[in-house]
């Protein structure tokens, strides 16, 4: 079964929408700040149920999923066959720290905001999205640090392979907040924190075609591994990349585009002609959303190549790699070469 | 209520005999809980009907009118680790790694022997490294965000939990993922591993869940009046809420071929899995969808409802959950429902580990011929018309067990386990209507567990 990405919706420091992100990636100029400036969460409705809370990370995810799922996507898709796989790297930590702080500092230790409780755990956005779009099928939340976006894609592909859903809404998000930045700094991670969200419609190629949706990318391989010490990361990632290429029936020479999370490509033996795009240098460190934005960058760059009729003769494969300092090394091999997808 | 669940289409709704997918089995158990650490202690406590509730010791509870939980006091999981240096991972990661180490030993599987095989490590959690999150919040109160302690900051992210397992076992070629689908996460992890092994992406997996008891969770649920004052009493008329528990439960799963090739003892088959989402209300579970999930898991296993010998209920001990679940069991199993038990009465709500803990208890019940009791039970509730196994463990021939779980937000997941006796080939034997004390399969549990 060929699994493809047939739609995507984004928000990034470049703004809301895939267009703004693609332009920023193609321009290659670092964006100042790190927030999605044109995304504002609505003030919480005072009449709403007390357990509902509009917090920024889940609001971002919900808005992006709303963009992804037009009425045409949901039409004819039975609710119990609609799956969702969503992830982030740190969602809930900011809210949890607020709750603990309040318990420690207020006159009574139970004088905490009960509305905050559901947002302290990581599946809050997934649950909200299910309610908003009647997604009654498998609903999973995953996290693997900076590799979360690829872990979500792998979970999504497995749901399709096992026949548990017709298609999957799949993505990752991360918001920018003071605590996240302070934790990164205390941990010695020199980053330029940013926020963002990338969500994709993942489905079998046949289903995309029959619904008239374009194949933005075919997922040829997803690999992930764990490294113990940072010095082992390059070799561990290299082994993952080699297997991904074997799975995809490709060689290093077929990789026309490389989208790494940082500078880890120094250890990969890819040919000199491979174009390298580094989203983190442009948008900053979106942590749990980073890998989803890398996938989006691969799609955006290839789209632009097609428009200029300058398709890479090497075969149109894009390789996304990620090293998460907590120990995850992962990669994804995509075919982004043709409007009609593979074989067309 | 109409059980529309049974009519849903599903491509793999076949019996085991004509299902071409690899069969997946449990070969090892690792458990840390308030009533026992390691297979032998846990088994003894399950049979005895122990209750692990005690005054909270992990943080200062001054100012709360009551403050009890199912902690594992005095236990430092790092003492069970061989490769991870102290302090590198938080307590929850250390628990996951320690339980994984126990499970591998229980499976008789030397990690070095599978180092070159692709594997899966899936760890479910609700609150992740919640003790480190609490500590960071305390540091913020004390000195501001500019003075957060580096060791806590370095180990706070929940994506590290399966990394701890991999590092402890020296495994590199593993697909490692944390599944923070809250209180259904343990079952999610088992189901994720099942699908990976069925799909041929790996031949072994280490899966389960881990959590601790934090100030954040206690203060929040105390405030919501969902935290029980003394103990968790599922299905009892006077139940007054859940109570979080600490611990980890990890299982070693393998394809049947992989287990047979290395001559492993098969403890149970993971026969089926189902998951879905209420998509209805943030906190109130939806009976119809929970029933659909359970029925879906049975279809995935190729098991008829009448074959089920015991249901390990989610059984949180809240008014709403237990009544809803009782209704679901009537919907799914009709007029001859199997016995029901609720492990949370003994070990508390171990959150992301709850499903894994229940799977482990179910496997032990299968192996040793009993159903663990729902303790803390005194008065039946007409709203919960189930055959709840109360007081003492009940001798039973368990061939098929179902583990039900729900997560806040509407996440439902159910696992179906089968006795290894059904693996010989052909349709499963034993329809599970007779109750008899099936002796142990002769596995030397006490000696095998040793000091693990």
């Amino acid at each position: 079964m060929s699994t493809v990405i047939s739609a995507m919706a984004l928000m990034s420091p470049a703004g809301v929408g895939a267009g703004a992100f693609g332009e920023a990636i193609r321009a290659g100029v670092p964006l100042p700040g790190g927030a999605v400036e044109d995304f504002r969460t609505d003030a919480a409705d005072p009449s709403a149920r007390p357990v509902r809370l509009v917090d920024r990370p889940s609001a971002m995810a919900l808005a992006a999923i709303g963009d992804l799922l037009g009425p045409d996507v949901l039409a004819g898709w039975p609710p119990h066959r609609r799956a969702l796989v969503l992830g982030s790297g740190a969602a809930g930590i900011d809210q949890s720290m607020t709750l603990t702080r309040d318990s420690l500092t207020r006159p009574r230790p139970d004088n905490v905001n009960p509305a905050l409780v559901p947002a302290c755990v990581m599946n809050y956005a997934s649950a909200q999205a299910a309610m908003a779009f009647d997604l009654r099928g498998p609903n999973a939340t995953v996290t693997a640090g900076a590799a979360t976006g690829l872990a979500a894609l792998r979970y999504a592909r497995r749901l399709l392979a096992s026949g548990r859903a017709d298609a999957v809404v799949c993505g990752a998000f991360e918001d920018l907040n003071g605590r996240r930045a302070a934790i990164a700094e205390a941990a010695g991670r020199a980053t330029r924190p940013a926020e963002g969200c990338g969500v994709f419609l993942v489905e079998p190629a046949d289903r995309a075609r029959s619904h008239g949706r374009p194949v933005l990318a075919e997922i040829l391989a997803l690999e992930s591994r764990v490294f113990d010490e940072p010095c082992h990361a390059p070799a561990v990632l290299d082994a993952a990349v080699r297997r991904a290429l074997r799975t995809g029936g490709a060689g290093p020479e077929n990789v026309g585009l490389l989208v790494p999370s940082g500078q880890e490509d120094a250890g990969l033996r890819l040919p000199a002609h491979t174009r390298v795009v580094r989203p983190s240098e442009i948008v900053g460190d979106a942590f749990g959303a980073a890998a989803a934005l890398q996938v989006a960058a691969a799609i955006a760059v290839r789209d632009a190549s097609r428009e200029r009729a300058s398709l890479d003769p090497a075969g149109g494969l894009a390789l996304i790699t990620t090293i998460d300092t907590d120990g995850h090394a992962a990669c994804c091999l995509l075919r982004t070469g043709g409007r009609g997808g593979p074989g067309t | 209520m109409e059980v529309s669940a049974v009519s849903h289409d599903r491509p793999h709704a076949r019996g085991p005999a004509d299902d071409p997918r690899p069969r997946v089995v449990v070969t090892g158990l690792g458990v840390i809980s308030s009533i026992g650490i390691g297979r032998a202690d846990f088994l003894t406590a399950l049979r005895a009907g122990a209750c692990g509730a005690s005054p909270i010791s992990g943080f200062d509870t001054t100012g709360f009118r009551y403050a009890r939980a199912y902690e594992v006091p005095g236990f430092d999981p790092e003492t069970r680790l061989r490769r991870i240096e102290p302090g590198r991972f938080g307590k929850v990661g250390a628990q996951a790694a320690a339980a994984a180490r126990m499970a591998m030993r229980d499976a008789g599987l030397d990690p070095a022997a599978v180092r070159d095989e692709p594997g899966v490590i899936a760890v479910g959690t609700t609150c992740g490294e919640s003790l480190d999150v609490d500590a960071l919040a305390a540091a913020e109160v004390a000195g501001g965000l500019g003075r957060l302690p580096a060791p806590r900051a370095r180990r706070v992210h929940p994506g590290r939990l399966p990394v701890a397992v991999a590092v402890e076992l020296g495994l590199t070629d593993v697909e490692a993922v944390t599944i923070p689908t809250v209180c259904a996460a343990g079952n999610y992890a088992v189901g994720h591993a099942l699908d990976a092994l069925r799909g041929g992406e790996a031949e072994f997996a280490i899966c389960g869940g881990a959590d601790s008891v934090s100030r954040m969770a206690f203060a929040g649920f105390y405030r919501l009046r969902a935290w029980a004052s003394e103990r968790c009493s599922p299905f009892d008329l006077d139940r007054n809420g859940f109570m979080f528990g600490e611990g980890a439960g990890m299982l070693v799963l393998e394809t049947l071929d992989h287990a047979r090739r290395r001559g492993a003892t098969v403890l149970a088959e993971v026969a089926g899995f189902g998951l879905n989402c209420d998509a209805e209300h943030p906190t109130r579970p939806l009976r119809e969808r929970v029933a659909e999930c359970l029925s879906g898991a049975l279809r995935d296993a190729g098991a008829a409802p009448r074959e089920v010998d015991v249901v390990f209920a989610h059984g949180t001990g809240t008014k709403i959950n237990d009544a809803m679940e009782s209704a679901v069991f009537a919907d799914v199993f009709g007029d001859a429902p199997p016995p029901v038990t609720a492990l949370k009465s003994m070990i508390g709500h171990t959150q992301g580990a709850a499903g894994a803990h229940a799977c482990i208890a179910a496997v032990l019940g299968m192996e040793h011929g009993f159903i663990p009791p729902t303790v803390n039970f005194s008065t039946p509730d007409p709203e919960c018309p189930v055959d709840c196994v109360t007081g003492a463990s009940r001798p039973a021939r368990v061939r098929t067990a179902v583990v039900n779980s729900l997560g806040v937000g509407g996440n439902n997941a159910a696992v179906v386990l089968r006795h290894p006796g059904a693996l010989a080939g052909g349709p499963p034997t034993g329809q599970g209507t007779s109750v008899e004390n099936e002796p142990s399969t002769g596995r030397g549990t006490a000696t095998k567990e040793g000091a693990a």
Side-chain angles (χ1 to χ4, degrees), chain B residues 307-348:
Chain B
E307 290 178 66
V308 175
D309 301 313
V310 60
V311 178
F312 284 75
H314 190 57
T316 55
T318 62
K319 288 283 181 198
I320 288 177
N321 177 87
D322 297 356
M324 179 281 305
E325 247 189 323
S326 300
V328 164
F329 298 151
D331 294 340
V332 172
F333 297 106
D335 50 9
V340 169
T341 194
L343 199 59
K344 291 178 180 65
S345 59
M346 278 192 263
I347 65 168

Side-chain angles (χ1 to χ4, degrees), chain A residues 49 51-52 80-81 89-93 95-101 103-105 108-115 117-118 120-124 126-128 130-132 134-145 151 154-155 157-159 161-164 166 178-180 182-184 186-189 222-229 236 243 287 324-328, chain B residues 8-12 21 61-64 83 85 88-89 116 118 120 126-127 133-134 136-138 140-141 145 148-150 153-154 156-160 162-163 166-167 171-182 188 191-192 194-196 198 201 215-217 219-224 273-284 289 292 300 407-411:
Chain A
R49 292 180 171 281
V51 287
R52 288 184 195 267
H80 74 282
R81 300 286 298 169
I93 290 177
Q95 295 82 350
S96 295
M97 286 176 69
T98 296
L99 205 146
T100 300
R101 181 202 65 198
S103 175
L104 290 170
T105 57
R108 283 175 40 168
D110 63 334
N111 187 9
V112 297
N113 177 7
V117 175
C120 289
V121 289
M122 273 197 154
N123 76 330
Y124 189 59
S126 315
Q128 298 280 308
M131 285 181 272
D134 204 17
L135 313 175
R136 299 182 204 167
N139 180 291
T141 309
V142 298
T143 182
R154 196 159 188 191
Y155 197 114
R157 190 180 60 165
R158 187 165 291 151
L159 285 176
S162 56
R164 299 193 185 277
D166 293 339
R179 290 195 179 104
R180 199 190 118 211
I183 288 169
R189 292 188 182 116
L222 284 159
E223 283 291 332
S224 66
R225 298 187 180 213
V226 174
F227 59 88
D228 187 340
E229 299 295 334
V236 170
R243 185 183 286 152
F287 191 38
D324 171 75
T325 51
D326 281 330
H328 298 278
Chain B
H8 280 164
D9 55 309
R10 224 191 55 76
H12 295 301
R21 298 172 299 182
T61 57
T62 304
F64 293 97
R83 289 174 53 102
E85 57 271 34
R88 175 169 170 188
F89 290 92
D116 296 324
V120 169
T126 293
C127 295
V133 176
D134 270 359
L136 288 169
E140 178 188 332
V141 169
L145 281 178
L148 299 181
R154 274 198 289 269
V156 74
H157 292 126
R160 292 172 61 86
V163 174
V167 169
L171 298 175
T172 289
D173 189 3
V174 281
E175 176 194 345
V177 68
T178 301
I179 305 180
T181 304
V182 294
Y188 266 78
H192 186 64
L194 172 69
D195 282 354
R198 278 178 172 175
E201 290 192 70
R215 170 179 283 274
M216 179 280 288
F221 288 110
Y222 179 102
R223 173 72 178 78
L224 286 167
F273 175 62
L275 77 170
N276 71 357
C277 187
D278 291 353
E280 180 73 17
H281 189 274
T283 54
R284 193 174 56 238
R289 228 77 85 207
E292 286 170 4
D300 191 50
V408 67
N411 291 115

Side-chain angles (χ1 to χ4, degrees), chain A residues 16-17 22 45 48 53 59-60 64 85 107 124 136 139 142 146 148-149 279 284 331 344:
Chain A
V16 174
D45 177 358
L53 175 83
M60 288 172 64
V85 183
Y124 189 59
R136 299 182 204 167
N139 180 291
V142 298
T148 295
C331 68
T344 61

Side-chain angles (χ1 to χ4, degrees), chain B residues 390-418:
Chain B
T390 60
S393 59
R394 182 188 293 181
R397 184 172 183 269
V398 180
R399 308 295 285 189
T400 303
V402 173
V403 174
N404 196 36
S405 64
L406 294 76
V408 67
N411 291 115
N412 310 309
V415 171
V416 180
L417 298 159
R418 295 262 211 190

Side-chain angles (χ1 to χ4, degrees), chain B residues 158-432:
Chain B
R160 292 172 61 86
L161 303 184
V163 174
V165 173
V167 169
E168 171 62 15
L169 299 177
L171 298 175
T172 289
D173 189 3
V174 281
E175 176 194 345
V177 68
T178 301
I179 305 180
T181 304
V182 294
C183 302
N187 268 2
Y188 266 78
V190 172
H192 186 64
L194 172 69
D195 282 354
L197 269 54
R198 278 178 172 175
E201 290 192 70
E203 287 205 85
F204 79 96
I206 303 157
C207 57
D211 260 302
S212 190
V213 179
S214 65
R215 170 179 283 274
M216 179 280 288
F218 177 65
F221 288 110
Y222 179 102
R223 173 72 178 78
L224 286 167
R225 297 197 178 92
W227 197 285
S229 53
E230 290 294 318
R231 61 188 71 84
C232 174
S233 308
F235 299 110
D236 187 279
L237 180 66
D238 299 318
R239 64 190 181 277
N240 65 349
F242 60 71
M243 185 179 284
F244 272 10
E246 185 174 45
M250 298 295 288
L251 299 92
V252 173
L253 267 51
E254 301 174 65
T255 60
L256 179 60
D257 285 348
H258 191 270
R260 282 184 172 159
R261 273 202 304 277
R262 66 181 192 89
T265 302
V266 172
L267 304 177
E269 178 181 15
V270 184
F273 175 62
L275 77 170
N276 71 357
C277 187
D278 291 353
E280 180 73 17
H281 189 274
T283 54
R284 193 174 56 238
L286 188 63
R287 168 180 169 180
E288 183 182 3
R289 228 77 85 207
V290 177
E292 286 170 4
C293 178
L294 212 47
S295 297
L298 288 171
R299 270 199 313 284
D300 191 50
R306 66 183 159 72
E307 290 178 66
V308 175
D309 301 313
V310 60
V311 178
F312 284 75
H314 190 57
T316 55
T318 62
K319 288 283 181 198
I320 288 177
N321 177 87
D322 297 356
M324 179 281 305
E325 247 189 323
S326 300
V328 164
F329 298 151
D331 294 340
V332 172
F333 297 106
D335 50 9
V340 169
T341 194
L343 199 59
K344 291 178 180 65
S345 59
M346 278 192 263
I347 65 168
H349 192 337
T350 51
Q351 315 154 66
H357 274 137
C359 285
I360 290 169
V363 170
L364 291 172
M366 257 175 210
E367 186 179 13
H368 297 279
F370 74 101
I371 296 172
T374 303
V375 299
N376 309 329
F377 184 97
S378 55
T379 316
D381 180 353
E383 301 270 302
C384 302
V386 289
D387 172 19
C388 190
V389 176
T390 60
S393 59
R394 182 188 293 181
R397 184 172 183 269
V398 180
R399 308 295 285 189
T400 303
V402 173
V403 174
N404 196 36
S405 64
L406 294 76
V408 67
N411 291 115
N412 310 309
V415 171
V416 180
L417 298 159
R418 295 262 211 190
H419 190 279
L423 279 167
T429 56
Q431 298 306 301

